[in-house]
Amino acid sequence: MSRIDPKGVAPASGEDGSLYAARQKVYPKAVNGPVRRAKWAILATCLALYYLVPWLRWDRGPGMPDQAVLVDIANARIFLLWIEIWPQEIYFLTGLLVMAAIGLFAVTSLFGRVWCGFACPQTVWTDLFMWVERRIEGDRNARMKLDAAPMTRGKALRKAAKHAAWLAIAAATGGAWIMYFQDAPTVTRAILTGGASLETYVFFGLFTATTYTLAGWAREQVCTYMCPWPRFQAAMLDENSLVVSYRGWRGEPRGKAKAEGIGDCVDCRGCVHVCPTGIDIRDGQQLECIGCGLCIDACDDVMRKLNRPTGLIAFETLANLAASEAATAQVAPGPVRQVCGMKARQPVRLSRPRTWLYAGVLGAVAAVMLGAFLLRPTATLAVLRDRAPIFVRLSDGSIRNAYTLKLENRTRPDAALALVLDAPEGFRLLVQDSTADAEARPLLTLRQDGITQWRALVTAPAGARLPESTPVRFRLLDAAGNTVLAERSVFLAPK
C-alpha cells in the first residue's frame, strides 16, 4: 500500500512503483469570510432554483400542461415558460449547449475555475453534504477524532443520522430531477403513494444513489479523477487570468510569526485545512485546485490576527506574480517588500484578444439562435411520396402516385386550409377522408398544437406523354386565398 503525504493528497504512485495509491480522506475545516459568504449565497440560489422551478406554473390554455419548465417526453415537447421546443427543433438545445460551453471558456479565461469552485453541481451538493456532516459530527478535528475512535453507540448514532440526512437530500434531489420530466405535484403524489411507474422509480433511485455517492463519498475524487475539465482548462488560461494564487514573493521564507528575516507565511497550514480537495495552494497551480477561494478566507483570518496585511493568498494573475517577484528579489522581508511587490502589479486586463474572441463567437452564436427562433414558422408542411410502389397504373391507363402529407401546427387554434396542386394540366388531386370547400378543393384541418396526417392521391390522365419525373407542388391556402404553406415533390411515371 502506498504512502499518503501529510497534506492529505495521495502521491502519483506508491512506494512499490505502482500507479495506485489509496485515498486518504480529506477533512475540510469550516471557515468564515467574504468568499465563504459568496459561496453560501450561490449555493442557496442554485439549490432554490433546482428544487423550486418544477413547481412554477404557466397557463398555456386548455389541454396543455401548466408546468413552467417541462420536458414532456410523452408528447415530444419541451416547454420553457412561453417557449415550446419541438423534436425537429432540437438544434436550439444544441445552440444553448454551444453557448454554455463558450461562456464557460470565456469565464475560465478571465477568472480561472470559478465555475468549479462556486456553481458546479458537484461542488454545490458536496458543500451541502459537508455542512450537514459538520452539524452532526462537528468540525475538522472532531470528525477526525470521531473516525479514529472505536465504534460506540454514540458514534453509530451520529453516523446513522448523517447518512440518513444525506439520503434524504439525495432523495429530494432525485425526485426534483424527475419533476422536470413529469408534472411535479402529480409525480410527487404518485411516488409517495406507490402509484408511480416502474421507470419513474428506477430513475428516482438512480439519481438518489448517484447524488448520495458523488456528494457524500466521492467528493474531491470527482473533481480530480472523473471530471475532464481540469485536464484541458490550462488551455483556457493565460498569464492575465485571475486565479487563486499564493504570493510567494511576500510569504517566503516561511517561519514563526516572531522570527527575524522571514516572510508573512507562518506555515500554519490553515489554507490546507480548509481546502475541499486537500491540496496546498502554496505549491502553485495544481490540477486538483477548483478555485473555490476558501484558502483566501483562512489566510486572511490568520493575517488579521497577526496584524499583517491580508491578501497573502488572493485572486491574482501570473503576470503580476512574476512582476512582484522580480521587483522584490533584492528586498528583505517586511513592510517595504510588501509595498514594492504591490506597487509592481498592473491592473488586471479583462479586455484582451482571447476574451474578445470568446465574446465574438458567443455573440455570433447568440445572434444566429435568436434569428432562428424569431423566424421559425408556426406551421409546416411535409410531403412524403410513397416509395413502394413508386406508381400505380389504373385500369383506365392513368398513372397514380400516393403521398403522405404531414401538417404541423404550433399555434393554439385549429385551422382549415384548402389544398391545391400545381401540376401539368389534367392532373387530378384526391385527399382521403377530407371535406371540400365551395371550389371543390380539399380542406385540411391543422390540429391545435399538434400534427395531422393526410393521404393524398395524384393521378395523371391516360395517354399523357410524361417524363419519368414531373415536378409538382402542394400549396395550402387560407380563406383569403393566400399561400400559407407550400412544399415541392415529384410525380414519377414509367419510362
Side-chain angles (χ1 to χ4, degrees), residues 55-67:
W55 296 91
L56 299 179
R57 302 293 101 183
W58 190 272
D59 184 13
R60 298 185 177 90
M64 299 298 294
D66 64 350
Q67 186 160 310

Side-chain angles (χ1 to χ4, degrees), residues 78-376:
I78 298 177
F79 297 96
L80 301 172
L81 300 179
W82 69 93
I83 300 173
E84 294 182 25
I85 304 297
W86 290 61
Q88 60 270 34
E89 296 177 323
I90 195 67
Y91 55 85
F92 283 119
L93 293 184
T94 304
L96 288 176
L97 292 176
V98 171
M99 291 176 61
I102 298 172
L104 182 58
F105 297 162
V107 170
T108 301
S109 69
L110 290 171
F111 307 111
R113 291 179 67 181
V114 289
W115 161 260
C116 300
F118 289 81
C120 173
Q122 174 65 20
T123 296
V124 169
W125 265 271
T126 299
D127 256 1
L128 178 60
F129 274 46
M130 288 194 296
W131 177 82
V132 170
E133 187 175 55
R134 291 191 188 103
R135 299 291 295 181
I136 296 175
E137 296 184 354
D139 205 357
R140 182 175 188 271
N141 292 335
R143 297 198 308 275
M144 294 174 67
K145 183 178 179 181
L146 182 67
D147 285 352
M151 182 59 69
T152 61
R153 182 175 179 274
K155 179 177 179 178
L157 289 175
R158 286 177 178 270
K159 293 292 184 182
K162 178 183 74 173
H163 288 284
W166 283 359
L167 284 171
I169 296 172
T173 303
W177 181 255
I178 298 297
M179 296 174 195
Y180 283 92
F181 297 85
Q182 301 182 43
D183 181 67
T186 304
V187 74
T188 300
R189 190 181 307 109
I191 290 175
L192 295 177
T193 59
S197 64
L198 176 61
E199 293 81 2
T200 298
Y201 283 114
V202 168
F203 281 101
F204 172 72
L206 175 64
F207 292 120
T208 298
T210 52
T211 303
Y212 172 74
T213 302
L214 297 182
W217 293 92
R219 294 189 176 179
E220 79 284 349
Q221 295 182 100
V222 175
C223 306
T224 304
Y225 301 110
M226 297 174 62
C227 180
W229 184 239
R231 271 74 187 171
F232 58 83
Q233 65 151 338
M236 311 298 159
L237 301 176
D238 57 33
E239 66 278 4
N240 292 302
S241 301
L242 271 173
V243 294
V244 179
S245 305
Y246 166 68
R247 289 171 172 154
W249 57 267
R250 172 185 158 187
E252 302 297 326
R254 306 170 195 173
K256 295 188 178 297
K258 296 182 179 180
E260 296 291 336
I262 65 165
D264 284 339
C265 180
V266 295
D267 205 17
C268 64
R269 298 182 62 79
C271 54
V272 180
H273 293 161
V274 301
C275 180
T277 59
I279 67 166
D280 191 339
I281 191 61
R282 297 172 297 179
D283 293 337
Q285 292 188 3
Q286 298 159 70
L287 177 148
E288 297 88 351
C289 179
I290 62 173
C292 66
L294 294 180
C295 51
I296 297 175
D297 284 343
C299 187
D300 284 352
D301 186 51
V302 173
M303 292 296 104
R304 281 189 289 267
K305 292 177 180 178
L306 297 176
N307 294 319
R308 297 182 183 182
T310 58
L312 179 57
I313 299 176
F315 284 97
E316 182 63 288
T317 66
L318 294 180
N320 279 338
L321 286 177
S324 298
E325 185 73 32
T328 59
Q330 305 300 323
V331 182
V336 176
R337 185 164 73 168
Q338 163 76 11
V339 172
C340 292
M342 297 303 291
K343 187 177 181 180
R345 298 176 66 254
Q346 296 294 325
V348 178
R349 291 179 53 207
L350 298 181
S351 176
R352 51 188 194 271
R354 180 190 294 265
T355 56
W356 278 110
L357 174 63
Y358 288 137
V361 174
L362 185 61
V365 175
V368 171
M369 289 276 294
L370 181 60
F373 180 77
L374 294 177
L375 296 176
R376 69 175 185 164

Side-chain angles (χ1 to χ4, degrees), residues 374-399:
L374 294 177
L375 296 176
R376 69 175 185 164
T378 58
T380 61
L381 168 65
V383 178
L384 307 176
R385 190 183 55 79
D386 285 2
R387 297 185 178 275
I390 58 175
F391 64 86
V392 174
R393 188 185 297 274
L394 303 182
S395 59
D396 63 354
S398 58
I399 305 299

